[in-house]
Amino acid sequence: EADIYQTPRYLVIGTGKKITLECSQTMGHDKMYWYQQDPGMELHLIHYSYGVNSTEKGDLSSESTVSRIRTEHFPLTLESARPSHTSQYLCASRRDAESSPLHFGNGTRLTVT
Amino acid sequence: KNQVEQSPQSLIILEGKNCTLQCNYTVSPFSNLRWYKQDTGRGPVSLTIMTFSENTKSNGRYTATLDADTKQSSLHITASQLSDSASYICVATSGGSYIPTFGRGTSLIVHP
């Protein structure tokens, strides 16, 4: 079982609120990722990081930001939540080897009312 | 553009039966293909990895195949159990990339 943790597991907030989704891993992985997952759809990459102070945008990066100040911590922030942000957010990490698997957290289910 | 297509979208089988899930991929250059299992409310977990030179790989009751010529992979589940009910996601990665391409998954329901 991989050691990657996401909090909160569930979050219901109102439109316009600023929120931060937390993700931490204890495996010392340099590479970390944030994905958005909707029912019946493929995972969409929001942001990724290849190490401390390195962050890149994915396909769905608009309206959100990330930071990577420490290897183990990769929080995702929505500056102003909208109902269209309602979704499942998954954090993942992996070792540097190209063939290494992604280790996922159990996700944050976000509902914006 | 890299793409991964999975079929069927959903599948219902009886406990004890076998089933096969399909995956067609277009990634270039091809590096590897993984199958993940995602239980409801959990993150995906890797089941197998297939590289270019591998045709078949087993992990317990799960057997994955790869045909690099036709760019197809399959996941065969033998003697299904209720705990096999989950979404199975095919993920392909191109060489030199750490950004994999995900399929939409096959939702498998195993009935008693």
Side-chain angles (χ1 to χ4, degrees):
Chain A
E1 192 81 14
D3 296 324
I4 180 164
Y5 308 99
Q6 291 187 241
T7 58
R9 286 281 279 131
Y10 303 93
L11 181 61
V12 181
I13 60 169
T15 298
K17 299 293 185 182
K18 177 180 179 179
I19 61 168
T20 296
L21 308 184
E22 301 289 348
C23 176
S24 295
Q25 50 96 5
T26 60
M27 296 170 283
H29 291 169
D30 283 330
K31 293 176 171 53
M32 296 189 73
Y33 307 77
W34 275 104
Y35 289 94
Q36 183 174 331
Q37 184 181 34
D38 293 309
M41 301 296 291
E42 65 268 39
L43 274 68
H44 287 289
L45 183 64
I46 309 172
H47 293 277
Y48 59 101
S49 168
Y50 287 170
V52 171
N53 294 325
S54 157
T55 61
E56 300 289 342
K57 295 182 177 182
D59 301 330
L60 291 180
S61 59
S62 61
E63 305 161 0
S64 65
T65 58
V66 291
S67 63
R68 190 83 183 278
I69 299 173
R70 303 196 317 266
T71 296
E72 61 270 22
H73 195 213
F74 191 41
L76 174 73
T77 298
L78 292 174
E79 293 294 332
S80 180
R82 296 209 299 262
S84 60
H85 292 138
T86 295
S87 187
Q88 169 91 335
Y89 292 83
L90 289 168
C91 179
S93 71
R94 69 190 300 178
R95 291 186 292 110
D96 280 342
E98 189 175 288
S99 61
S100 62
L102 288 165
H103 296 275
F104 286 88
N106 285 327
T108 293
R109 169 67 63 182
L110 174 65
T111 302
V112 183
T113 60
Chain B
K1 179 184 178 183
N2 292 338
Q3 285 187 316
V4 174
E5 302 286 342
Q6 292 188 243
S7 63
Q9 182 177 347
S10 61
L11 183 61
I12 301 174
I13 62 174
L14 292 175
E15 186 178 14
K17 298 297 185 181
N18 304 334
C19 67
T20 300
L21 314 181
Q22 301 289 346
C23 173
N24 294 337
Y25 64 91
T26 307
V27 299
S28 182
F30 176 77
S31 174
N32 64 78
L33 183 145
R34 279 188 183 275
W35 285 92
Y36 287 80
K37 178 187 180 188
Q38 184 176 20
D39 293 315
T40 301
R42 306 293 294 269
V45 175
S46 176
L47 291 174
T48 67
I49 179 174
M50 304 292 290
T51 59
F52 185 85
S53 60
E54 296 174 307
N55 298 118
T56 303
K57 184 176 286 186
S58 293
N59 177 7
R61 293 180 298 102
Y62 300 105
T63 299
T65 66
L66 179 72
D67 186 333
D69 292 331
T70 61
K71 295 182 170 55
Q72 294 179 329
S73 177
S74 66
L75 181 69
H76 185 75
I77 304 175
T78 304
S80 61
Q81 300 176 357
L82 298 180
S83 60
D84 292 332
S85 295
S87 178
Y88 292 84
I89 304 172
C90 178
V91 182
T93 302
S94 59
S97 171
Y98 288 97
I99 307 298
T101 301
F102 287 80
R104 294 189 175 188
T106 292
S107 175
L108 174 65
I109 297 174
V110 180
H111 279 312

